[in-house]
Amino acid sequence: MNLPNKLTVLRMAMIPVFLFFLLWRGLPNHYLWALITFAAASITDTLDGRIARGRGLVTDFGKFMDPLADKLLVMSALVGFVDVADVPSVVVIVILAREFLVTALRTLAADNGVVIAADRWGKLKTVLQMFWICFTLLFLWMMDTGRDQNGSLFVAMAAIYLGGMVLVTAVTILSGFNYLWKNRQLFLRSK
């Protein structure tokens, strides 16, 4: 197993650790630990792709597991946020639906001998999701420790949290429609 694939596997192994920190409220600074774990896992996503492409280490395992690891990491955070951050379940359902839809589209494409690579909308979606999740974890940590709960920083962070959620949801939906539109011929072929 090459280094990029090891980083992908490491990212997947970090998911239960992240969830442990996110959900165990009895641990002091658990949101901070969750933030550190999530950020470290997110960094492995950037590293494994750069190393794989830069050193010519792209493998079928990596092509399959890297996006799966990303989806599992982000989805675990979002599902956890329904409980700890009051993220509306409809937001999580919409984002999950997009991920399943694009995965199904890629499967259909593969059956037709077509590879659907991530485009800039898909990459933007992933980056925005990961930044928003990190920001939300920071915000949760601030609320949990009682930092500046009546101050202007708290109000600004609450606005960024809500605006970020709307932006992430909108870009996720646009990205999904973009994949469907660009690959609509696959549906015509499969009839």
Side-chain angles (χ1 to χ4, degrees):
M1 183 174 289
N2 64 30
L3 179 59
N5 290 342
K6 287 178 183 176
L7 289 171
T8 298
V9 170
L10 174 63
R11 183 163 63 259
M12 292 182 74
M14 293 173 83
I15 294 169
V17 176
F18 162 70
L19 286 171
F20 171 79
F21 288 136
L22 178 66
L23 300 173
W24 190 31
R25 294 179 178 158
L27 179 69
N29 294 311
H30 68 105
Y31 291 127
L32 181 60
W33 288 111
L35 170 59
I36 292 166
T37 306
F38 187 88
S42 298
I43 290 168
T44 68
D45 180 36
T46 301
L47 287 176
D48 67 7
R50 285 188 180 167
I51 293 169
R53 287 184 298 276
R55 296 182 185 173
L57 299 173
V58 175
T59 64
D60 288 339
F61 177 87
K63 287 179 190 176
F64 176 74
M65 292 305 292
D66 181 62
L68 179 61
D70 296 343
K71 287 175 186 9
L72 290 173
L73 178 64
V74 168
M75 290 302 114
S76 66
L78 293 177
V79 170
F81 283 175
V82 170
D83 180 38
V84 301
D86 294 325
V87 170
S89 56
V90 69
V91 168
V92 176
I93 291 166
V94 165
I95 294 172
L96 274 169
R98 182 265 184 213
E99 298 304 337
F100 285 125
L101 183 67
V102 171
T103 299
L105 181 63
R106 284 189 167 128
T107 302
L108 179 63
D111 288 346
N112 285 285
V114 177
V115 175
I116 300 176
D119 65 6
R120 63 183 161 166
W121 281 101
K123 291 176 183 178
L124 175 63
K125 179 254 335 165
T126 300
V127 168
L128 286 175
Q129 286 175 344
M130 289 184 173
F131 272 115
W132 180 73
I133 289 167
C134 287
F135 179 84
T136 301
L137 291 166
L138 178 64
F139 185 47
L140 288 169
W141 175 68
M142 283 184 62
M143 288 192 315
D144 196 45
T145 57
R147 289 172 170 36
D148 192 44
Q149 290 212 1
N150 296 318
S152 58
L153 177 62
F154 179 82
V155 172
M157 288 187 77
I160 293 169
Y161 161 75
L162 290 172
M165 182 179 4
V166 170
L167 178 64
V168 162
T169 305
V171 170
T172 299
I173 291 168
L174 287 172
S175 168
F177 280 123
N178 179 55
Y179 278 109
L180 286 174
W181 181 254
K182 284 174 42 178
N183 297 286
R184 62 191 178 278
Q185 74 280 0
L186 290 171
F187 295 108
L188 299 173
R189 279 189 217 164
S190 62
K191 286 185 178 181

